[in-house]
């Protein structure tokens, strides 16, 4: 296994989730965590040139607010690195057009952190899809109450990449890509609230169809009255209906009968990885960095198409 040397840009999600997940994996070394704030650990740097001038780095994680992603992508796009960028990887249509036009010229490999498709329970759901006959319709419902945790920052400014659609929409559209390929058409309906004297979207309803003609509906909100998050996926097939119920079970409904597949608790068995998003992150990073494992990585082509539909 080759030496894997990484740098993380950003001290929010980057330090809280990416750094701790990589530390647990123990298959590479985090050389830098970049922050504009004062350094408070040996690996911290507030000088971006430390990262740009280090010829031994293999991986860069861009974990900053969305409106800064394009800036850091431009800095590292030709450094012959693997870059994992948070979604949305850009927030402006012109930046998206520029990346789409020049993507094949970049020397670095750019990936987007769409981790849910790597969760083993999601992989099991996809495997079961093959058994329900010709698929007619997909439905995804994702609800949470994380609006209560949001501070008065960029999240409440759509121009800076804030709002629920840009926060969760790319993840759910990527799941649709994973199950059934490219999306051709999308219509969106957003619900807004005012908080911190700002208007921001907290719920969305997406209707569309894939290039193969199959229709879908995606609904999500972040101001649910229930505290726990909930993910449901339903695939309507010619032979049966397949339901994914919040990482707990998969149900197969056929001719008024029901069969249930119980989904087991996954390693690592620690409190940090009790969140299914963190479990998915663990398996995604493991696949990216473990050279012995064929990686189910997401390149920029599908994320570009999806952002074109929602920006």
């Amino acid at each position: 296994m080759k030496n894997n040397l990484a740098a993380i840009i950003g001290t929010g999600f980057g330090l809280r989730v990416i750094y701790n997940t990589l530390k647990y994996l123990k298959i590479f070394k985090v050389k830098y965590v970049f922050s504009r704030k004062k350094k408070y650990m040996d690996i911290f740097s507030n000088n971006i040139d430390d990262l740009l001038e280090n010829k031994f780095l293999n991986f860069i994680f861009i974990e900053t607010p969305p409106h800064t992603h394009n800036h850091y992508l431009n800095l590292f796009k030709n450094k012959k690195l693997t870059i994992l960028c948070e979604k949305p990887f850009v927030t402006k249509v012109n930046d998206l057009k520029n990346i789409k036009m020049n993507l094949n010229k970049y020397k670095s490999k750019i990936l987007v952190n769409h981790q849910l498709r790597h969760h083993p329970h999601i992989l099991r759901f996809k495997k079961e899809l093959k058994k329900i006959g010709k698929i007619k319709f997909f439905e995804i419902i994702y609800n949470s109450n994380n609006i209560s945790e949001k501070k008065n920052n960029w999240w409440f400014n759509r121009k800076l990449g804030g709002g629920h659609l840009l926060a969760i929409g790319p993840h759910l559209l990527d799941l649709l890509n994973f199950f059934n390929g490219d999306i051709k058409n999308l219509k969106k309906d957003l619900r807004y609230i005012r908080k911190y004297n700002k208007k921001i979207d907290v719920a969305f309803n997406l209707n569309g169809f894939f290039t193969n003609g199959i229709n879908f509906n995606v609904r999500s909100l972040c101001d649910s009255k229930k505290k726990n998050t909930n993910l449901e996926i339903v695939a309507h097939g010619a032979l049966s209906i397949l339901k994914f119920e919040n990482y707990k079970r998969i149900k197969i409904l056929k001719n008024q009968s029901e069969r249930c597949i119980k989904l087991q608790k996954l390693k690592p068995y620690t409190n940090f990885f009790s969140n299914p998003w963190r479990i998915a992150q663990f398996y995604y990073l493991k696949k990216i960095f473990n050279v012995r494992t064929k990686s189910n990585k997401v390149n920029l082509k599908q994320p570009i198409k999806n952002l074109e539909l929602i920006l």
Side-chain angles (χ1 to χ4, degrees):
M1 188 180 297
K2 74 173 185 178
N3 181 40
N4 296 316
L5 202 61
I8 300 171
I9 302 175
T11 55
F13 184 85
L15 193 59
R16 185 175 66 254
V17 176
I18 297 296
Y19 175 75
N20 283 308
T21 303
L22 297 179
K23 186 178 180 181
Y24 187 91
L25 282 168
K26 298 179 181 179
I27 55 178
F28 61 89
K29 179 181 179 182
V30 177
K31 177 67 175 177
Y32 300 110
V33 175
F34 172 74
S35 173
R36 293 178 178 177
K37 300 177 183 179
K38 185 178 179 179
K39 292 196 292 184
Y40 50 96
M41 284 174 60
D42 289 342
I43 60 172
F44 273 69
S45 172
N46 54 14
N47 183 359
I48 196 66
D49 288 337
D50 289 343
L51 284 66
L52 289 168
E53 296 173 2
N54 191 307
K55 298 180 180 180
F56 300 100
L57 285 178
N58 307 109
F59 305 96
I60 293 286
F61 295 87
I62 300 176
E63 307 295 336
T64 53
H67 63 283
T68 67
H69 291 171
N70 188 63
H71 168 70
Y72 291 115
L73 285 173
N74 281 329
L75 288 180
F76 291 96
K77 65 187 180 184
N78 291 315
K79 291 293 183 179
K80 298 181 180 180
L81 304 165
T82 296
I83 302 171
L84 185 67
C85 183
E86 274 305 311
K87 50 77 228 159
F89 61 95
V90 293
T91 59
K92 297 179 180 178
V93 174
N94 286 340
D95 292 337
L96 183 61
K97 290 180 179 178
N98 183 62
I99 288 177
K100 183 179 181 180
M101 190 185 335
N102 296 290
L103 185 60
N104 292 332
K105 300 177 184 177
Y106 298 162
K107 296 179 181 179
S108 292
K109 175 72 172 180
I110 302 174
L111 310 172
V112 181
N113 195 20
H114 291 150
Q115 65 268 57
L116 286 184
R117 64 162 63 195
H118 300 276
H119 195 293
H121 294 343
I122 296 292
L123 294 171
R124 177 63 186 272
F125 179 81
K126 184 176 181 179
K127 182 179 179 180
E128 295 295 325
L129 283 174
K130 300 175 182 179
K131 305 175 183 179
I132 67 172
K134 184 177 180 181
I135 298 174
K136 300 178 180 180
F137 186 72
F138 277 99
E139 183 180 14
I140 297 180
I141 304 169
Y142 179 81
N143 295 329
S144 74
N145 187 35
N146 64 6
I147 187 70
S148 61
E149 304 169 3
K150 301 298 181 184
K151 299 178 181 179
N152 185 11
N153 57 19
W154 60 266
W155 199 93
F156 289 91
N157 188 328
R158 178 62 186 265
K159 293 182 179 179
L160 299 182
H164 189 55
L165 177 61
L166 290 179
I168 297 298
H171 285 299
L172 303 185
L173 292 181
D174 180 68
L175 283 182
L176 291 175
N177 294 148
F178 184 50
F179 298 143
N180 197 57
D182 291 344
I183 295 168
K184 185 175 182 180
N185 181 270
L186 182 71
K187 293 182 180 180
K188 57 182 183 288
D189 182 32
L190 307 182
R191 176 169 63 81
Y192 299 86
I193 65 167
R194 292 197 69 86
K195 190 170 183 178
Y196 301 121
N197 202 30
K198 298 173 184 177
K199 181 182 177 181
I200 197 66
D201 59 284
V202 294
F204 58 80
N205 184 20
L206 309 177
N207 289 289
F209 56 86
F210 297 90
T211 53
N212 62 6
I214 296 175
N215 293 302
F216 66 82
N217 172 256
V218 177
R219 306 188 301 277
S220 182
L221 55 85
C222 64
D223 60 348
S224 172
K225 294 180 181 179
K226 297 181 180 180
K227 292 183 179 181
N228 296 328
T229 61
N230 184 65
L231 173 65
E232 294 185 8
I233 308 169
V234 184
H236 298 258
L239 300 177
S240 58
I241 297 173
L242 193 67
K243 296 182 68 176
F244 178 92
E245 297 186 344
N246 204 35
Y247 305 97
K248 295 179 180 179
R249 65 189 69 85
I250 296 173
K251 289 183 178 179
I252 301 97
L253 308 176
K254 182 178 182 180
N255 298 330
Q256 298 183 340
S257 66
E258 178 180 296
R259 183 168 68 90
C260 182
I261 303 171
K262 291 185 178 180
L263 300 172
Q264 303 299 316
K265 185 177 180 180
L266 298 168
K267 295 180 181 180
Y269 302 127
T270 67
N271 289 334
F272 179 79
F273 290 109
S274 61
N275 183 315
W277 288 86
R278 293 184 180 180
I279 283 284
Q281 191 71 74
F282 171 84
Y283 282 95
Y284 186 20
L285 297 185
K286 183 178 180 181
K287 287 181 178 180
I288 289 177
F289 295 111
N290 191 340
V291 297
R292 296 168 297 180
T293 303
K294 184 178 180 182
S295 177
N296 173 30
K297 295 183 290 189
V298 183
N299 61 31
L300 275 190
K301 291 183 179 179
Q302 284 184 331
I304 285 174
K305 290 181 180 179
N306 291 343
L307 272 187
E308 286 175 331
L309 293 169
I310 67 175
L311 276 183

